[in-house]
Amino acid sequence: MGEKLLMKGNEVIAEAALRAGCKHYFGYPITPQTEIAHYMAKKMPEVDGVFVQAESEVAAINMVYGAAAAGARVLTSSSSPGISLKQEGISYIAGAELPCVIVNIVRCGPGLGGILPAQCDYFQAVKGGGHGDYKMVVLAPSSVQELYELTVDAFNIADKYRIVTMIMGDGILGQMMEAVEFRNQEEIIPADKSWATTGTEMKRDNNMVTSIYINPEMLEKHNQKLQAKYKQIEENETRVEVYNCENPDIIITAFGTVARIVKNVIKTAEKEGIKIGLIRPISLWPFPTQEFEKYAEVPKAFLSVELNAGQMVEDVKLAVNGKRPVHFYGRMGGMIPSQQEILDKVKEILK
Amino acid sequence: MATVFKRPHALKDLSMHYCPGCTHGIVHRLIAEVIDELGIEGKTIGVSPVGCTYNNYEYFNCDMVQAAHGRAPAVGTGIKRVNPDNLVFTYQGDGDLAAIGTAEIVHAATRGEKITSIFVNNAIYGMTSGQMAPTTLMNQVTTTSPFGRKPDLHGFPVKVCELLSTLEGAVYVERVSVHDIKNIMNAKKAIKKAFQIQMAGKGFAIVEILSTCPTNWGLKPVDALKWVQDKMIPFYPLGNFKGKDLEV
Ligand SMILES: Cc1ncc(C[n+]2csc(CCOP(=O)(O)OP(=O)(O)O)c2C)c(N)n1
Ligand code: SF4
Ligand SMILES: [Mg+2]
């Protein structure tokens, strides 16, 4: 590892993207992620890169579509209402199999909601907010260090599979100052871009980037190809942290910033003789189903703690498959659960 | 024997799917001829719209990208910003450009994106079977204005060239028609100039082309050409709005 700096989460995302070789950023301002745009506006000229403030999130995601078609590593970032506007473009990018990275620093909804931290876009991200049978890789960091590492990985994953990769965080993570240690050199995995529309130079047949297949047989084949790719990603790219899970009374499952709170709860509970384990999905899609299957009969119960009305808990239930009860505790509207609240819930379940 | 007329290289040897009497095909040919004459096929990237020409990416020999409805100028922006040496054109209908894609075209022009937009105005939504377009003329009957376009119900047709020529970033704006030979030749000149403007790095260029949709206008092909002459041109005057004297 190399340089160690104290930096704001959002700025780390931007810096990580630059280090991963991203020279194209298109976005539209929205709190709580605008620092990404500020950073890019300042730094892109230094690397001969491009920063464009688009007229809307709709335009920004379509600029991403064009830039990705032209073979570039490209980033856009936004927060919930803006991500909703990007859904049309995300579906097209998925259909056309273009690589790109999208950051969603989630805020509370529905509607304009509020700017405080939330995890209420889990469904939108992992079940597909746009139309059609598509998936995107969704990575949920829980520290600024992880924001950096996962952002770099996101570009490699996007290129490798020609897929949309989303970094999903919240305002706590985006606004938080934390130490981050940068590598001296990033591993930028080279990807085949012979399909990109860069001009034929009269040396090859023309390339076409499209998501439309009018012939039903061809469209079904195209969909089958996408599904096969998603299966491969499930096998290769699932990421999870399993913490303190040897003979726990209960396993809490949480992602992103909530997992940090849970780790503190684990310490407090230990003093009271309660053993809590944590399964923290790092990739929300692909979901670490196998890890849950492995631990399904280990604790007395599972508890999913989320900043929403109960979204990831559905995937936990599917994975645990009735072998143990799966409970839920959530706060909404930008409210954050205290350690005591979570511990009280644990005691109530174990009673 | 000398060849005096052949298919432009930039156009593939395929039969197009357009209705008899539709002038979309003529516009395709003009673009391809211009690409050939300028020798730019190898670095041109076209962006197809959503509309009757959604799959015209299959007809051109240059690299092509298909865009969502109305988003071609944003997609073109992305392509051009990655490879500024490429020549990027968007091909868009009036529903695509002047309704759902209004923000994208206005802001591509505002930013002075160095792309060329070919805007085919047939005063109707061709592909989805003849609904009212923003460019539908007053009193024109369409499937969603069955009693004719009325000001109190539908408002007034939008004049895209007049609108965009107010923007500093739009440096070349011209309206042409393809309803007869003389106008087809003029249209080709305008398309060529719009590409040359881009090659010279001057800014955003757009050519609006008045075009027919005999199928949804309910007219025979010949009558459709006459309708362009008699009805469309009086409301959409032909000519250059901006950039006529720009050196390229
Ligand atoms: C988001 C979205 N809305 C609606 C449609 C349906 N649609 C397809 S083509 C079209 C109108 C195209 O009209 P125009 O741009 O004038 O092209 P033309 O067919 O006349 O050449 C519409 C509304 C769509 N494909 N996508
Ligand atoms: S519906 Fe109209 S615009 Fe479409 S191909 Fe037929 S004539 Fe041309
Ligand atoms: Mg039309």
Side-chain angles (χ1 to χ4, degrees), chain A residues 48-302:
Chain A
D48 213 10
V50 169
F51 167 86
V52 177
Q53 179 170 328
E55 62 271 28
S56 69
E57 289 85 353
V58 174
I61 192 68
N62 282 284
M63 290 174 189
V64 167
Y65 179 98
R73 285 200 151 183
V74 53
L75 176 73
T76 186
S77 63
S78 189
S79 179
S80 310
I83 297 293
S84 290
L85 274 183
K86 288 187 197 290
Q87 294 303 326
E88 175 198 59
I90 291 173
S91 171
Y92 276 71
I93 292 171
E97 291 193 88
L98 295 173
C100 71
V101 177
I102 300 173
V103 175
N104 184 4
I105 301 298
V106 181
R107 54 189 256 182
C108 325
L112 203 48
I115 61 168
L116 291 173
Q119 297 180 325
C120 49
D121 296 352
Y122 177 93
F123 280 155
Q124 186 194 51
V126 307
K127 309 291 179 192
H131 56 286
D133 273 320
Y134 75 91
K135 288 284 182 194
M136 52 182 184
V137 175
V138 184
L139 303 175
S142 81
S143 68
V144 172
Q145 181 68 32
E146 221 177 31
L147 264 184
Y148 156 57
E149 287 166 15
L150 292 181
T151 301
V152 174
D153 291 353
F155 281 97
N156 285 330
I157 292 171
D159 267 359
K160 180 172 176 190
Y161 299 98
R162 294 177 61 179
I163 194 167
V164 181
T165 302
M166 175 176 275
I167 298 287
M168 196 157 106
D170 59 44
I172 300 176
L173 210 54
Q175 304 293 328
M176 180 163 62
M177 297 275 283
E178 211 170 40
V180 53
E181 191 169 2
F182 291 105
R183 302 179 192 101
N184 290 326
Q185 174 112 44
E186 298 308 334
E187 191 190 0
I188 297 172
I189 300 168
D192 169 41
K193 299 238 170 164
S194 57
W195 46 265
T197 52
T198 52
T200 65
E201 299 292 345
M202 310 306 273
K203 286 181 189 139
R204 56 160 168 80
D205 287 347
N206 67 330
N207 285 339
M208 289 176 261
V209 169
T210 182
S211 66
I212 188 164
Y213 295 82
I214 285 291
N215 176 319
E217 278 161 24
M218 278 171 67
L219 184 52
E220 186 174 52
K221 275 214 178 80
H222 173 59
N223 267 280
Q224 285 163 345
K225 181 179 157 219
L226 291 180
Q227 294 304 320
K229 171 166 91 176
Y230 299 152
K231 194 135 194 59
Q232 203 191 344
I233 295 173
E234 281 176 353
E235 279 160 22
N236 299 342
E237 305 297 340
T238 304
R239 293 162 190 232
V240 61
E241 184 193 11
V242 177
Y243 178 78
N244 211 36
C245 279
E246 307 82 33
N247 299 314
D249 300 309
I250 188 168
I251 290 180
I252 297 186
T253 168
F255 69 92
T257 44
V258 180
R260 294 169 71 120
I261 305 173
V262 172
K263 281 190 179 169
N264 287 326
V265 175
I266 290 172
K267 281 189 211 138
T268 320
E270 215 133 52
K271 287 182 204 139
E272 300 188 27
I274 303 169
K275 188 156 182 224
I276 303 175
L278 169 69
I279 297 183
R280 174 172 76 93
I282 298 171
S283 57
L284 303 182
W285 190 86
F287 192 71
T289 305
Q290 284 186 349
E291 220 57 36
F292 282 98
E293 283 168 357
K294 195 167 130 196
Y295 288 93
E297 292 176 275
V298 174
K300 295 192 186 79
F302 286 82

Side-chain angles (χ1 to χ4, degrees), chain B residues 18-19 22 24 52 122 126 212-216:
Chain B
Y18 306 117
C19 307
C22 176
H24 267 310
C52 278
N122 57 12
T212 61
C213 179
T215 303
N216 288 300

Side-chain angles (χ1 to χ4, degrees), chain A residues 88, chain B residues 24 50-52 69 93-96 100 122 124-128:
Chain A
E88 175 198 59
Chain B
H24 267 310
V50 171
C52 278
H69 199 15
D94 40 271
D96 194 81
I100 195 166
N122 57 12
I124 205 148
Y125 284 19
M127 183 176 203
T128 41

Side-chain angles (χ1 to χ4, degrees), chain B residues 180-213:
Chain B
D180 63 20
I181 307 285
K182 179 171 145 270
N183 278 284
I184 290 172
M185 299 319 277
N186 271 340
K188 181 172 165 185
K189 272 190 216 142
I191 293 170
K192 190 166 187 175
K193 178 104 182 204
F195 273 92
Q196 288 170 321
I197 293 274
Q198 184 181 169
M199 290 164 80
K202 300 275 183 199
F204 178 81
I206 183 166
V207 180
E208 174 175 344
I209 301 168
L210 303 184
S211 188
T212 61
C213 179

Side-chain angles (χ1 to χ4, degrees), chain A residues 14-80:
Chain A
E15 179 60 31
L18 292 169
R19 285 169 182 256
C22 166
K23 286 188 171 184
H24 297 84
Y25 175 92
F26 304 91
Y28 186 84
I30 183 168
T31 308
Q33 60 75 51
T34 340
E35 293 86 355
I36 301 175
H38 299 173
Y39 198 88
M40 288 304 201
K42 217 188 266 173
K43 296 280 178 165
M44 277 302 186
E46 289 174 18
V47 297
D48 213 10
V50 169
F51 167 86
V52 177
Q53 179 170 328
E55 62 271 28
S56 69
E57 289 85 353
V58 174
I61 192 68
N62 282 284
M63 290 174 189
V64 167
Y65 179 98
R73 285 200 151 183
V74 53
L75 176 73
T76 186
S77 63
S78 189
S79 179
S80 310

